[in-house]
Amino acid sequence: VQTHPNAADLQRRGTIAIVEGMNAGGMMPTLNFRKGAFENVDKIKWEAYEKEIFTAKRSCYACAVRCKREVMVDGKPSEYGGPEYESVVAFGSNMGIDDLHHVAKANELCNMYGLDSISTGATIAFAMECFEHGLLTLEDTGGIDLRFGNCEAAQKMIELIGTRQGLGILLGDGSKRAADQIGGDAHFFAIQVKGQELAMHDPRGKYNVGIGYAVSEIGADHLVAAHDTSLANPESLNFKAATALGITHSYPPRLYTEEKMDQFFRLESWNSLEKTLGLCFFGPAPRSFIHPEDVLKAIEYATGWQLSMQEALQIGERGINLARAFNVREGFTRQDDTLPERLFQPSEGGALTGQAIPRQDFEQALTWLYQVKGWDVDNGRPTRQRLEALSLDWAADMIEQAQPIP
């Protein structure tokens, strides 16, 4: 942990360490994903965090990384932990807010009410943009001035969502359902996939992250596969460790190719294996310090199974296909594997100003990925042949019975 740059930085600064880099790269969501950079980033980056609210490092049981931060809220140590990168951005730049004390309080309120900070922050940012465009009024908000940059309004919305009162009844169901009821252009302001709000990584700068958001069965998820930027440098420790997974070439983050979709498939399968094993993503490579081959040794020591890397990746692939089979049974199709319309529009600020995800390239990449996975390119269903190869014959029977193939 002390010698691996990624793990050591996670221990020293936690996930807040990436605020500056994400902002410099134009990938830090700002004003509900309109921009990729925040002009007041200095007020929410690690140095400010450490000076203003940080109190201690903590960890999950027996973890050597110790990436958790603890903070002061309302003048005393919070019982609910400190905000991570996602929360700092969700309640900071994405709302146009540069007050870390507000961010810490918002994070505390979410943890107190049992709310997801990413979805809560993104849904309130959605509501702020609706308010800005007149789709929500002071009458709707109960007199709350729900504009970007208003800390008090944001905190009040968290309380209303947590207690299911006022506008919180509508927003408590998330931005997609809220947009359904608000109507008009509200759907354009709802930055979500399959009803789940995007994490604080703008895929206009990391194309594979966008593919991950789109194909994830639970909706937008930034932990589907390793991020493009982490493997863009062939000399990096991340890339060299990923060669054990069959990764042989580095690709620019803003690029879709058939070969890159094969890379995505391998990385997605590896991440799925980590989920199956119950491993934290801040442990194994390529994200962190545990080499993939050491993960296989750990499996052997725990179970006696001597898995090859290909067998391990197939375990991950099996999990992905089971999740997809569930969604197919419930009526999801290729049309659901998409991104918010805003991401196909140019970013309005930061290093990626004027840059958008090319829609045709995105759709072609999705087709390539389906082909690699052995899924039907028209509807996104796993083929019987692929499911049988994964010993999931029963899943093929299930989805055919639920939705007969024409």
Side-chain angles (χ1 to χ4, degrees), residues 23 28 30-31 35-44 93 96 98 350:
N23 191 74
M28 193 170 82
T30 301
L31 300 180
K35 301 179 179 182
F38 187 41
E39 60 183 9
N40 292 336
V41 64
D42 286 347
K43 294 185 178 182
I44 63 171
S93 62
D98 60 14

Side-chain angles (χ1 to χ4, degrees), residues 5-28:
N6 290 358
D9 203 37
L10 277 168
Q11 182 179 102
R12 188 170 72 88
R13 301 189 292 173
T15 58
I16 304 92
I18 70 171
V19 166
E20 268 191 287
M22 291 289 288
N23 191 74
M27 296 175 286
M28 193 170 82

